[in-house]
Amino acid sequence: MTLHPTVSRVTDRIIERSRNSRRRYLELMDAEGERHADRNVALPCSNLAHGFAAMEQDKASIATRRGPNIGVITAYNDTISAHQPYGAYPPLMKVWAREVGATCQVAGATPAMCDGVTQGTDGMELSLFSRDVIALSATVGLSHAMYDSVAMLGICDKIVPGLLIGGLRFGWLPTVFIPSGPMPSGIANKEKQRVRQLYAEGKASRAELLDSEAKSYHSPGTCTFYGTANSNQMMMELMGLHLPGAAFVNPGTPLRQALTRAAVHRLAEIARSGNDYRPLSRCVDEKAVVNAAVGLLATGGSTNHAIHIPAFARAAGVIIDWNDLDELSQAVPLLARVYPNGAGDVNHFHAAGGIGFVIRELLDAGLAHRDIMTVGGDDLGAYAQEPWLDGEQLAWRDAGPSGDEEMLRPVTNPFMPDGGMRLVEGNLGRATFKTSAVDPDRWTIEAPCRIFERQEDVAHAFAAGELDRDVVVVMRFQGPRANGMPELHKLTPVLGVLQDRGYRVALVTDGRMSGASGKVPAAIHVSPEALGGGPLAYLQDGDVVRLCANRGEISTLADLVGREPAVMREVELGTARELYAMFRLGADEAEKGGSAMLALGGL
């Protein structure tokens, strides 16, 4: 199928824009790959002996390079439900590696925080920067130079982008991302949302709210709504960094175990010592990055990836911006409606045909690049399949038609003709507006604004009845340089109640929301941020703000000239936020990824 002209045009533009940075990256990776081709040459005997001292029966194999040694970077902890299954993985992976003459050792671990646990708390101000901490942690593990390929064990919000950034700086190593899958479905999403709004109105008790939430988030595995974590898994498929169809197979099932075993075997096959060398640096190129963006748009994924895609692309020398995402969105139809954009969750999505169906549709329509280097097949066509067990044997078969067109539709009959992620810009800056989650009659909101700097103040104003009107809630000083750009989900139930009461409401912020943000129109990631003189700093209560997805506009009718900018309150201490000052002070704008690490590293 001929590539869609918009996808072709945007890809060509990214390739040209990235020409010098991509060349420098590949030259570095090729040189590093040659320097580290043989650990017996690169490492003195004392260093090497330290590296395998604890490997017991695998010592001799590692010492003599009898087979490839797979390094594992794990984000295991049992506070995050999605990462709890990883505790059992390394011992099994060692056994599976030996089956194919390889060895496997844990190279290191990364922190892994859960936005669901820290939501609305001080810890959320560490969240975005945890991505960079994760990247740095991954590179510490890989710096031991003991490995021929890498298994990345991570799923959730900042964890996969962080692992990918870290892995790309060791991009001469073949790398496979190994998921653990979503938890089984809990209570209906509409019921969960109903109880949340009742609690926001004071009509449900904390005990009733906790009972509802515990029935939704109830077992090991990824949360089942289509937020950032599950969007991560989708993108790893579109970039060819999973084994095909691995994303949404539940934990603890025979198929899940078979996929993990096959991933270990594959890591041995694609190491340099084999005849199918597939370094991460060559897998993640401009086309793979475009595929990630296309998949995000086609499935209505998390807006957090408007920040993460530019960040991990930079780590591979690829430069992509919001204009690129906006132009792709105009060409890519919305093929899936997964909660909060629809009724069913990722388990329903997977049962209806899932990622294999989506990739098949995108490839057939020329909306995704087939000709990328993947870890699991000759090209992306291998990912238009679904895994299954033929007896005890892992096999793949072609994805079938949609099993539920309320959940998943073909390109010929999409839910929307575009991908539902719009760039809005004007005299208030540039921002992201996720239209796929919002009713079209709310794509344009014009109302007086009410300005806040803390989520708690919005809740208090709501409780006092001060927001019972058409209003644009402006949350400023929430950007990377201000307080680490926390997600602002505590606002969602409050604004949802106001909208349900018949008011026309919207959110404008230099902070973040994610794929779980829901039905309220929102201009998020506003850049430049308020701190440092962005336009939001000059707004005053009562100024009329216009947000329009149809025209791609975010503006105010007020004359901001001559006004003094608002002064941000002092940065609060506690929860170790003071240790993150270097991340805040060095962070660049959201459109580039909001990263001090990448900015100061010259990437």
Side-chain angles (χ1 to χ4, degrees):
M1 175 65 67
T2 302
L3 197 64
H4 189 285
T6 299
V7 176
S8 178
R9 181 173 59 252
V10 171
T11 304
D12 288 345
R13 185 168 68 224
I14 293 170
I15 290 172
E16 182 58 35
R17 185 191 300 136
S18 308
R19 189 172 302 281
N20 291 333
S21 55
R22 179 68 177 166
R23 174 183 52 77
R24 289 193 299 270
Y25 170 73
L26 290 176
E27 287 175 353
L28 177 62
M29 293 302 105
D30 290 346
E32 288 285 272
E34 286 303 314
R35 195 159 67 91
H36 294 284
D38 186 342
R39 60 178 168 271
N40 291 51
V41 174
L43 291 176
C45 291
S46 177
N47 303 50
L48 188 59
H50 274 84
F52 61 66
M55 288 304 291
E56 300 178 328
Q57 70 188 83
D58 293 321
K59 280 184 179 182
S61 181
I62 296 174
T64 60
R65 292 198 80 230
R66 192 178 304 159
N69 187 35
I70 300 165
V72 178
I73 301 293
T74 176
Y76 163 74
N77 66 55
D78 55 14
T79 298
I80 303 183
S81 60
H83 292 73
Q84 186 267 1
Y86 286 138
Y89 276 39
L92 292 169
M93 293 172 70
K94 293 176 188 293
V95 173
W96 294 330
R98 293 179 195 126
E99 292 175 343
V100 290
T103 53
C104 179
Q105 64 181 143
V106 174
T110 75
M113 68 183 293
C114 177
D115 288 1
V117 176
T118 59
Q119 200 62 253
T121 73
D122 296 343
M124 179 51 74
E125 295 185 15
L126 313 184
S127 174
L128 176 61
F129 296 144
S130 76
R131 180 194 64 198
D132 293 6
V133 174
I134 289 160
L136 293 169
S137 299
T139 63
V140 169
L142 296 178
S143 70
H144 292 110
M146 292 284 296
Y147 317 110
D148 301 296
S149 57
V150 180
M152 293 290 193
L153 307 186
I155 286 182
C156 290
D157 294 14
K158 266 59 64 185
I159 300 156
V160 166
L163 291 174
L164 186 51
I165 291 169
L168 282 165
R169 302 316 295 179
F170 286 77
W172 64 90
L173 295 171
T175 301
V176 175
F177 282 73
I178 302 178
S180 69
M183 67 179 69
S185 301
I187 63 170
N189 290 308
K190 283 187 176 181
E191 173 62 14
K192 176 177 67 176
Q193 191 176 52
R194 183 187 72 83
V195 177
R196 285 180 176 178
Q197 294 201 175
L198 287 174
Y199 181 75
E201 296 177 274
K203 297 177 180 178
S205 68
R206 179 178 172 84
E208 290 171 322
L209 177 64
L210 182 57
D211 180 65
S212 172
E213 297 292 332
K215 289 176 179 175
S216 178
Y217 309 113
H218 60 92
S219 72
T222 319
C223 303
T224 60
F225 62 84
Y226 197 49
T228 311
N230 287 317
S231 298
N232 281 336
Q233 303 315 297
M234 172 278 304
M235 291 198 309
M236 293 303 98
E237 298 272 339
L238 266 291
M239 297 175 77
L241 300 179
H242 280 171
L243 287 196
F248 300 129
V249 176
N250 298 124
T253 61
L255 181 56
R256 174 85 277 156
Q257 180 164 299
L259 283 163
T260 304
R261 181 185 181 205
V264 174
H265 291 177
R266 187 65 179 151
L267 280 164
E269 293 170 352
I270 62 177
R272 185 193 296 268
S273 57
N275 57 7
D276 195 14
Y277 180 45
R278 300 189 183 211
L280 183 63
S281 58
R282 300 289 173 172
C283 291
V284 180
D285 62 5
E286 298 91 338
K287 292 180 179 180
V289 170
V290 168
N291 281 358
V294 167
L296 181 73
L297 297 164
T299 58
S302 170
T303 54
N304 274 325
H305 289 300
I307 301 172
H308 295 322
I309 290 175
F312 68 64
R314 285 169 73 180
V318 177
I319 305 169
I320 183 172
D321 62 27
W322 289 349
N323 289 96
D324 300 322
L325 290 177
D326 184 65
E327 192 169 338
L328 289 170
S329 184
Q330 295 174 40
V332 176
L334 183 68
L335 305 184
R337 282 209 179 276
V338 193
Y339 182 80
N341 305 335
D345 64 18
V346 293
N347 291 311
H348 301 115
F349 168 76
H350 183 66
I355 290 294
F357 173 90
V358 170
I359 291 176
R360 199 257 329 276
E361 288 294 310
L362 293 173
L363 288 174
D364 287 352
L367 290 165
H369 292 281
R370 182 183 295 270
D371 57 332
I372 63 170
M373 179 181 285
T374 72
V375 301
D378 293 335
D379 56 32
L380 191 63
Y383 291 74
Q385 297 181 312
E386 61 179 18
W388 66 294
L389 286 178
D390 183 4
E392 296 183 359
Q393 183 68 38
L394 177 63
W396 279 266
R397 58 193 174 198
D398 291 342
S402 172
D404 181 359
E405 292 208 355
E406 294 300 310
M407 167 67 64
L408 197 55
R409 292 185 182 177
V411 168
T412 54
N413 181 35
F415 292 101
M416 289 172 50
D418 63 57
M421 196 173 290
R422 305 285 177 89
L423 170 66
V424 290
E425 51 189 337
N427 63 2
L428 291 179
R430 289 162 62 89
T432 301
F433 185 151
K434 184 178 177 180
T435 57
S436 60
V438 178
D439 194 293
D441 69 1
R442 295 185 180 275
W443 286 7
T444 299
I445 303 289
E446 183 174 309
C449 73
R450 177 73 186 274
I451 299 170
F452 299 92
E453 295 182 18
R454 300 192 318 151
Q455 294 185 79
E456 295 80 0
D457 294 338
V458 179
H460 294 153
F462 169 77
E466 298 171 10
L467 301 179
D468 284 321
R469 56 185 173 86
D470 291 354
V471 63
V472 174
V473 170
V474 175
M475 278 288 294
R476 66 187 177 197
F477 298 120
Q478 305 296 311
R481 293 177 63 87
N483 65 350
M485 206 179 190
E487 291 192 26
L488 304 171
H489 284 317
K490 285 181 74 172
L491 304 180
T492 301
V494 167
L495 297 177
V497 169
L498 291 173
Q499 182 169 285
D500 289 348
R501 289 177 180 173
Y503 300 114
R504 297 188 68 76
V505 298
L507 173 67
V508 172
T509 181
D510 48 8
R512 292 187 296 125
M513 300 286 270
S514 87
S517 54
K519 61 189 179 181
V520 177
I524 57 178
H525 315 153
V526 174
S527 298
E529 64 179 283
L531 182 64
L536 292 188
Y538 294 88
L539 276 179
Q540 297 174 0
D541 283 341
D543 288 343
V544 174
V545 171
R546 178 180 177 85
L547 173 60
C548 180
N550 294 305
R551 294 170 53 181
E553 178 185 358
I554 178 173
S555 62
T556 179
L557 303 179
D559 184 1
L560 305 182
V561 176
R563 291 184 180 179
E564 289 295 315
V567 177
M568 179 181 156
R569 69 188 188 280
E570 288 188 14
V571 175
E572 297 182 41
L573 304 181
T575 319
R577 284 173 288 178
E578 54 275 14
L579 299 183
Y580 285 71
M582 61 181 180
F583 289 97
R584 292 192 299 271
L585 294 173
D588 51 17
E589 61 265 33
E591 188 168 1
K592 291 184 177 180
S595 171
M597 176 186 69
L598 296 172
L600 297 177
L603 302 180

